[in-house]
Amino acid sequence: MSWPPTGTWPGELARAALVGGLFLSLFAVAEGWRWWRKPPVEWTRKLVHFGGGAVAALFPWLFEWPVTVLLIGVVSAVFLTVTRALGWLQSVHGVTRKSEGALLFPVAVYLLFVLSHRQPVFYLISILTLVVADALAAVLGASYGRRTYRVEGQDRRSVEGSAVFLLTAFLAVHLPLLLLTTLGRPESVLISIQVALLLACLEAISLRGADNLFVPLGCLYLLEKMTPKPAVVIGWQLVAQLGCIALVGLIAWRSRLLTFSGGIATALGLYGAFALGGAEWTVAPLLLLVGLMILVWPRGLPVTPRQPTEPPRTDGRYQVVAVFYTSLVPVALYMANNALETMPTGWLPRLPTLLRSVDPMYPLYLGAIAAHLAILLVGHLQAGARAARPGIGVLTRAVAFGAMAVVPVG
């Protein structure tokens, strides 16, 4: 019996029906395992995660149309939403922590299929880093993890699990690059080390299953950016990446500014400024860190009273969400600037050449960082004050400090 060809409605629907049947069989096996042997829910959940990812890894060779993958994703999301609302499928939904990972997984698969349609190997690598590395890190970390850390006081992670993710992600990137592409061995090794390290940091700070979306899309983005570069450039970027991690780690260890997870998020943002902008783009965020260290030394950050609906806090240091909100605008600006520099000329035919060569986002980038430093200074000066709004003197000192600390350097 021959299958109808891909790129036709009979062929696409026949393969979609096959994939749907495999997914339902996987759910049935997980539910049967839960009822029969009663393993930890994380094990049955990762079984579905791993099996579903293995099926999804074949999509570039099964389907031609993105709409087919979109249809599979919509049906999967509806199925998972309904079963969770009805209290069914406890092999997937039975975790006590809040997680949207099961719903984000089909979204990630569809976006990967669309964005990597001309690079099926990159799609495969991105799926493998999520499916294999994440599953092994979760299972082995839960079983053997002894050195733990918290992300926003909610999710507990282990150093051992993160180390397993790092090693597995390296293999998931290195082997396909070496065997299925024309990259040389030095480039393949350096890219694999760098991508694995970045993805391990990203996975370590993801909340509520967001790694199911951020890890594969981040992997695809990194592969697109790194594979055209020579080994020397990749090697220097790896040195800079390790330097950012060491510097921020030292700041988190010796000051009362950042938690462990907050330090990872800060190191990612700082390295992103270097990799996408250049060395000059790292000066302003370093000055922001220095300014914050001056503010918090030696008493630490002021801790506001906790609301009854908020999770428990370990201390007043900055965690992932605070770092995310502080760096959101600067990160968006240096990514936009890099996109303008690297985007093919034919995509923006009316954009002046001068605008593409002078870092047009850099002044806005400096202003955003200076503004963040001023805002944080206002909060620091107002801590414990009775006034509901900061006075003119406080605002003036905050703006002057933020501007004088950052803008003149740029």
Side-chain angles (χ1 to χ4, degrees), residues 79-309:
F79 175 78
L80 291 170
T81 302
V82 171
T83 53
R84 185 170 66 174
L86 296 176
W88 300 348
L89 207 62
Q90 290 300 301
S91 58
V92 176
H93 304 306
V95 290
T96 55
R97 57 184 173 87
K98 294 182 179 180
S99 176
E100 304 298 335
L103 297 177
L104 291 175
F105 182 76
V107 177
V109 170
Y110 173 71
L111 292 176
L112 283 177
F113 187 86
V114 172
L115 297 174
S116 66
H117 199 58
R118 297 182 180 179
Q119 294 283 1
V121 176
F122 289 179
Y123 173 93
L124 176 64
I125 293 173
S126 302
I127 289 292
L128 289 178
T129 55
L130 173 64
V131 172
V132 180
D134 184 65
L136 286 177
V139 173
L140 295 180
S143 302
Y144 300 102
R146 296 296 179 267
R147 298 172 179 85
T148 62
Y149 60 93
R150 288 186 176 273
V151 183
E152 288 295 324
Q154 303 173 28
D155 291 356
R156 183 184 292 273
R157 308 287 170 84
S158 69
V159 175
E160 292 83 356
S162 297
V164 170
F165 185 98
L166 175 64
L167 177 60
T168 311
F170 168 78
L171 296 175
V173 177
H174 176 59
L175 293 179
L177 284 181
L178 186 63
L179 300 176
L180 302 177
T181 68
T182 58
L183 284 175
R185 291 180 181 272
E187 290 84 358
S188 177
V189 171
L190 290 172
I191 290 173
S192 302
I193 294 174
Q194 197 168 1
V195 171
L197 189 56
L198 288 170
L199 294 183
C201 292
L202 191 60
E203 190 274 340
I205 62 174
S206 297
L207 293 168
R208 300 185 63 175
D211 53 330
N212 280 8
L213 182 64
F214 294 145
V215 167
L217 294 181
C219 181
L220 178 62
Y221 180 78
L222 293 171
L223 291 173
E224 294 280 0
K225 287 291 183 181
M226 292 182 185
T227 48
K229 297 178 180 179
V232 175
V233 175
I234 302 170
W236 279 114
Q237 287 191 343
L238 179 59
V239 171
Q241 180 183 356
L242 295 174
C244 290
I245 294 175
L247 176 62
V248 176
L250 180 63
I251 292 174
W253 176 47
R254 299 299 297 176
S255 73
R256 302 179 182 182
L257 182 62
L258 299 165
T259 63
F260 181 80
S261 56
I264 294 175
T266 303
L268 284 175
L270 185 62
Y271 171 71
F274 175 84
L276 298 180
E280 67 275 15
W281 289 70
T282 63
V283 176
L286 285 175
L287 290 175
L288 174 62
L289 286 175
V290 171
L292 289 177
M293 289 181 64
I294 294 173
L295 292 180
V296 305
W297 189 271
R299 294 177 298 173
L301 289 166
V303 181
T304 56
R306 184 175 70 90
Q307 301 297 323
T309 57

Side-chain angles (χ1 to χ4, degrees), residues 330-406:
V331 169
L333 287 172
Y334 68 60
M335 292 184 69
N337 193 85
N338 180 264
L340 289 175
E341 290 180 342
T342 59
M343 191 174 294
T345 307
W347 289 18
L348 295 172
R350 298 182 180 180
L351 190 66
T353 305
L354 179 63
L355 191 60
R356 295 168 61 94
S357 60
V358 296
D359 289 338
M361 301 297 176
Y362 192 64
L364 298 176
Y365 174 76
L366 292 176
I369 293 179
H372 277 303
L373 185 55
I375 291 170
L376 293 170
L377 180 58
V378 169
H380 181 80
L381 294 176
Q382 284 297 111
R386 296 182 179 180
R389 296 182 180 180
I392 299 298
V394 170
L395 292 175
T396 303
R397 282 182 289 167
V399 173
F401 182 76
M404 292 176 63
V406 176

